[in-house]
Amino acid sequence: MDLHPAAVTTVTRSAALGEGENATFECAAIGNPMKSDVIKWRREGFDMVHKTNEKIEWGRAYLTVLNVSRQDSGVFECVAYNGIGSEAVAKAQLIVKFKPESYLPKRQQKVAADRGETALLRCLAIGAPIVKFSWSNSTGSNITESPSSIKYSTRTSQIDTVTWENVLYINNVVEEDFGYYTCTGSNEMGSDSTQVLLKRRGKAAEIKL
């Protein structure tokens, strides 16, 4: 008999759905020997007993995560082990969709710069799926869609599964650039905005709006 370790052949890599829905993942494995308990699902710190249902078939395991909430977003592991060699592990990501919530730590709500400098304005948002950002100035003009790529540029980075950061670069700051900027984070579930103040550097500086 040719004995060999279990190996995962297919797995549902990700599932994205709204709060209150049920998420289903499938995992298949091969190996010899092969028994009904070779495949299982796990996630450290997650209430697998009350929050999930698991259905095991020959060489296949189905996981249903019940009534999902945004706190359930994260990675589940499909584990295949038949007593030979080591565990085979494949990851499946649960993404629970929700409307972005834009925010900023207090120390980042005001940014100081001198004329001629490049100002960096940051904006954070939690949301799923991917959050996209836009910026407007105190006149309401959408500056991220401005044809002047020399004046403005942006960079987005993903901090964790549901947290995103966007940085607006304002090059060669002039007097007209000082004032409030609105950052809007949006996805298919909706949008949310927060404001950042760009002010002149120096204790005596005041903003006229």
Side-chain angles (χ1 to χ4, degrees):
M1 182 181 292
D2 182 19
L3 302 179
H4 54 272
V8 176
T9 55
T10 59
V11 68
T12 306
R13 294 293 180 184
S14 66
L17 63 167
E19 291 188 282
E21 297 184 61
N22 295 337
T24 301
F25 298 93
E26 178 183 351
C27 181
I30 57 174
N32 191 20
M34 196 69 187
K35 298 180 292 183
S36 60
D37 61 351
V38 166
I39 313 173
K40 66 178 181 180
W41 287 92
R42 72 185 180 195
R43 176 173 163 182
E44 187 176 351
F46 194 81
D47 185 0
M48 298 291 288
V49 174
H50 298 100
K51 287 282 295 179
T52 69
N53 286 333
E54 194 168 354
K55 180 183 177 183
I56 307 295
E57 295 179 355
W58 193 263
R60 202 169 294 268
Y62 299 90
L63 176 72
T64 301
V65 186
L66 305 170
N67 190 28
V68 300
S69 66
R70 69 175 71 178
Q71 290 78 19
D72 298 332
S73 294
V75 176
F76 293 85
E77 291 183 338
C78 171
V79 183
Y81 180 62
N82 63 355
I84 299 176
S86 55
E87 292 181 341
V89 180
K91 298 182 184 297
Q93 184 173 44
L94 171 60
I95 302 169
V96 181
K97 299 178 183 180
F98 64 97
K99 184 176 82 73
E101 297 173 8
S102 301
Y103 69 97
L104 268 180
K106 192 170 183 179
R107 59 185 175 83
Q108 294 183 11
Q109 293 174 6
K110 295 179 181 179
V111 176
D114 285 326
R115 283 175 290 187
E117 293 183 343
T118 296
L120 277 64
L121 278 59
R122 288 180 166 81
C123 179
L124 292 161
I126 58 172
I130 296 173
V131 176
K132 296 183 178 181
F133 294 87
S134 62
W135 289 85
S136 59
N137 58 20
S138 55
T139 66
S141 301
N142 187 331
I143 58 177
T144 43
E145 295 180 357
S146 168
S148 174
S149 58
I150 298 174
K151 182 66 177 177
Y152 305 108
S153 60
T154 61
R155 176 179 54 82
T156 300
S157 56
Q158 185 174 6
I159 297 174
D160 59 34
T161 306
V162 297
T163 306
W164 311 79
E165 181 186 54
N166 184 266
V167 180
L168 171 67
Y169 298 87
I170 305 174
N171 299 309
N172 190 24
V173 170
V174 296
E175 191 68 26
E176 291 76 19
D177 293 327
F178 295 116
Y180 281 98
Y181 289 78
T182 300
C183 168
T184 301
S186 60
N187 64 13
E188 65 186 67
M189 306 300 288
S191 62
D192 189 36
S193 300
T194 189
Q195 286 192 321
V196 186
L197 174 63
L198 177 60
K199 62 178 184 177
R200 301 179 195 85
R201 197 183 307 280
K203 294 180 180 179
E206 293 182 358
I207 302 297
K208 295 181 180 179
L209 299 175

